[in-house]
């Protein structure tokens, strides 16, 4: 009788421990901080694929929400990048194919020479994409997804990639800072048509 | 059917399960919640092992005092090993949590350093425009 009792106690404790472990440990528990946002993800410089997938998923998520009627306004994407490179082109194309109605790209004065025709194609195919260039290559790169989510890159040179941070449900104050900066930079940027892109300055290797 | 006949099989299963899941945990390269799941599975197995192990201890009888002493030593050692595995799991969880906190910190650093430079970049652009 006493043995049975001990066994029962041990079994119960084990069962409870296991349930607690499942509850506490195995749950989606993203990094979050009130001052920054609801879900903060850090990407290391070598995680190129992860960065891409995160942004692609975010774009798809936004479209699903829009289709379900959870988002009423039009989907917008604002980017400031060093140059309209292959990575950026993929994001822009993905967004354009997933119901985004306004995409604004601000980049530095130079592009990679081989990208010029591709940019021409994008501007030709998607009239919703607006391309602006600045007189100086911006060092602070970020993307604002539909005025709610933010993606910030660590400053880097055009020849390298660095770590970056993705923030879902970004803090309003923080997002406002970036929004305002974007609007200000936009007033100082020069719009580029698809024909001008073909003659844009490019990096000489 | 007597429960005691099942004990050896269950012991082997649970021990193999826990060691396999810990091995899988070490081999899992992607750092995410699924990796933690393997630790939880290992804990489930080891808890199951612990229950069975106690059961075998309770069903011991007809032993001489010498046999009983050896059995006790054996039980003690195994028990320590089980505690060791649980300690490993807890330690891994703490280490994971710590590296997660570090990641959050460096993410915040990136955001802050990016945010701080925005204004000066705008000023630079404005002054360049002024020159032209």
């Amino acid at each position: 009788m006493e043995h049975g009792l001990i066994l029962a106690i041990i079994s119960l404790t084990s069962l409870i421990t296991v349930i607690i472990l499942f509850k506490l440990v195995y749950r989606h528990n993203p990094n979050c901080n009130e001052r920054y946002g609801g879900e903060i993800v850090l990407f290391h410089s070598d995680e190129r694929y992860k960065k891409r997938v995160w942004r692609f998923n975010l774009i798809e998520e936004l479209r699903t929400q829009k289709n379900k009627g959870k988002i009423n306004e039009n989907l917008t994407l604002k980017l400031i990048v060093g140059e309209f490179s292959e990575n950026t082109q993929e994001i822009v194309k993905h967004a354009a194919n997933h119901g985004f109605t306004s995409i604004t790209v601000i980049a530095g004065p130079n592009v990679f020479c081989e990208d010029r025709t591709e940019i021409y194609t994008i501007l030709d195919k998607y009239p919703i994409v607006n391309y602006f260039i600045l007189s100086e290559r911006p060092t602070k790169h970020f993307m604002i997804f539909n005025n709610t989510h933010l993606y910030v890159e660590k400053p880097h040179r055009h020849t390298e990639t660095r770590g970056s941070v993705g923030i879902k449900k970004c803090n309003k104050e923080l997002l406002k800072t970036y929004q305002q900066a974007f609007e200000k930079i936009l007033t100082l940027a020069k719009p580029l048509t698809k024909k001008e892109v073909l003659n844009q300055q490019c990096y000489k290797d | 059917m007597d429960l005691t006949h099942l004990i050896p099989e269950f012991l082997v299963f649970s021990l193999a399960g826990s060691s396999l899941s810990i091995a899988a945990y070490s081999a899992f390269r992607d750092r995410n919640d699924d990796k933690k799941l393997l630790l939880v599975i290992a804990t489930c197995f080891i808890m199951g092992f612990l229950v069975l192990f106690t059961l075998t201890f309770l069903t011991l009888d007809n032993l001489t005092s010498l046999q009983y002493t050896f059995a006790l030593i054996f039980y003690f050692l195994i028990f320590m090993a089980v505690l060791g595995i649980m300690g490993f799991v807890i330690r891994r969880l703490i280490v994971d949590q710590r590296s997660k906190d570090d990641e959050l910190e460096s993410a915040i650093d990136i955001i802050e350093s990016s945010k701080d430079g925005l204004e000066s970049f705008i000023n630079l652009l404005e002054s360049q425009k002024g020159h032209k």
Side-chain angles (χ1 to χ4, degrees):
Chain A
M1 187 57 212
E2 205 178 298
H3 287 174
L5 193 70
I6 297 172
L7 195 65
I9 291 173
I10 293 187
S11 312
L12 271 179
T13 340
S14 305
L15 203 65
I16 291 169
T17 320
V18 165
I19 292 172
I20 290 175
L21 265 176
F22 261 104
K23 279 256 177 209
L24 279 182
V25 178
Y26 188 59
R27 54 163 186 190
H28 186 55
N29 182 20
N31 278 326
C32 78
N33 185 314
E34 268 179 37
R35 280 182 55 209
Y36 298 95
E39 190 177 330
I40 305 172
V41 195
L42 175 75
F43 301 102
H44 299 284
S45 51
D46 53 348
E47 294 175 327
R48 194 176 153 225
Y49 179 70
K50 246 180 157 176
K51 292 179 200 172
R52 230 178 71 157
V53 169
W54 188 86
R55 284 176 285 180
F56 278 15
N57 286 344
L58 186 58
I59 289 170
E60 284 156 26
E61 216 173 274
L62 283 170
R63 188 192 52 174
T64 320
Q65 284 179 0
K66 168 91 181 157
N67 287 349
K68 282 184 183 163
K70 283 183 189 161
I71 298 174
N72 296 321
E73 70 268 35
N74 289 329
L75 297 177
T76 55
L77 175 62
K78 297 170 183 167
L79 315 97
I80 293 192
V81 288
E83 44 284 314
F84 202 169
S85 63
E86 207 186 336
N87 285 334
T88 321
Q89 288 163 21
E90 278 171 1
I91 302 291
V92 167
K93 273 191 261 181
H94 201 72
N97 288 328
H98 283 78
F100 278 67
T101 45
S102 155
I103 299 169
T104 316
V105 184
I106 301 180
N110 293 332
V111 280
F112 294 107
C113 297
E114 63 271 25
D115 283 337
R116 287 188 292 197
T117 40
E118 190 56 36
I119 299 174
Y120 177 87
T121 320
I122 289 177
L123 294 181
D124 188 46
K125 194 174 165 196
Y126 307 106
I128 49 162
V129 179
N130 299 304
Y131 182 36
F132 294 85
I133 61 163
L134 296 167
S135 52
E136 192 79 21
R137 181 180 186 272
T139 46
K140 314 290 173 189
H141 304 162
F142 57 89
M143 303 182 180
I144 302 173
F145 293 86
N146 202 38
N147 305 331
T148 34
H149 312 288
L150 185 68
Y151 176 86
V152 180
E153 275 176 37
K154 210 170 168 180
H156 59 93
R157 300 206 183 122
H158 75 269
T159 45
E160 56 179 20
T161 54
R162 294 293 288 274
S164 53
V165 181
I167 312 169
K168 280 187 189 171
K169 294 190 195 73
C170 185
N171 176 287
K172 294 235 166 67
E173 284 299 309
L174 179 68
L175 197 67
K176 211 169 124 192
T177 321
Y178 278 97
Q179 293 267 32
Q180 283 170 350
F182 186 88
E183 299 304 330
K184 267 189 204 162
I185 294 174
L186 190 63
T187 57
L188 300 163
K190 176 179 148 226
L192 221 59
T193 61
K194 56 187 175 187
K195 286 208 177 103
E196 286 166 327
V197 169
L198 292 174
N199 299 318
Q200 199 186 345
Q201 293 173 51
C202 66
Y203 292 115
K204 290 178 190 80
D205 293 320
Chain B
M1 193 170 174
D2 194 0
L3 180 67
T4 44
H5 286 126
L6 284 173
I7 289 178
E9 280 94 344
F10 279 170
L11 277 179
V12 171
F13 271 138
S14 53
L15 205 58
S18 73
S19 38
L20 277 179
S21 38
I22 287 182
Y25 170 81
S26 323
F28 216 81
R29 285 190 59 195
D30 209 12
R31 267 197 60 234
N32 55 23
D33 292 340
D34 296 342
K35 197 171 173 177
K36 277 190 195 164
L37 178 66
L38 287 169
L39 279 186
V40 177
I41 294 170
T43 320
C44 291
F45 273 124
I46 211 70
M47 288 288 181
F49 180 80
L50 206 62
V51 173
L52 285 166
F53 203 58
T54 324
L55 192 67
T56 59
F57 187 71
L58 296 179
T59 48
L60 280 184
D61 42 49
N62 302 329
L63 291 181
T64 66
S65 60
L66 189 64
Q67 281 171 329
Y68 198 69
T69 321
F70 279 121
L72 265 184
I73 294 174
F74 176 77
Y75 272 95
F76 177 72
L77 287 175
I78 302 280
F79 194 70
M80 292 306 279
V82 170
L83 281 185
I85 293 179
M86 279 166 27
F88 170 79
V89 170
I90 292 168
R91 212 187 109 76
R92 284 315 308 171
L93 289 178
I94 292 172
V95 169
D96 279 356
Q97 186 57 44
R98 211 174 285 160
S99 70
K100 206 175 151 191
D101 291 345
D102 285 347
E103 275 198 352
L104 180 63
E105 226 165 80
S106 46
I108 288 175
D109 279 350
I110 292 182
I111 303 170
E112 282 297 333
S113 73
S114 152
K115 198 174 79 177
D116 289 345
L118 282 174
E119 200 57 40
S120 52
F121 180 69
I122 295 172
N123 291 339
L124 173 75
L125 284 177
E126 273 169 351
S127 69
Q128 276 188 349
K129 196 152 200 179
H131 280 302
K132 283 174 192 170

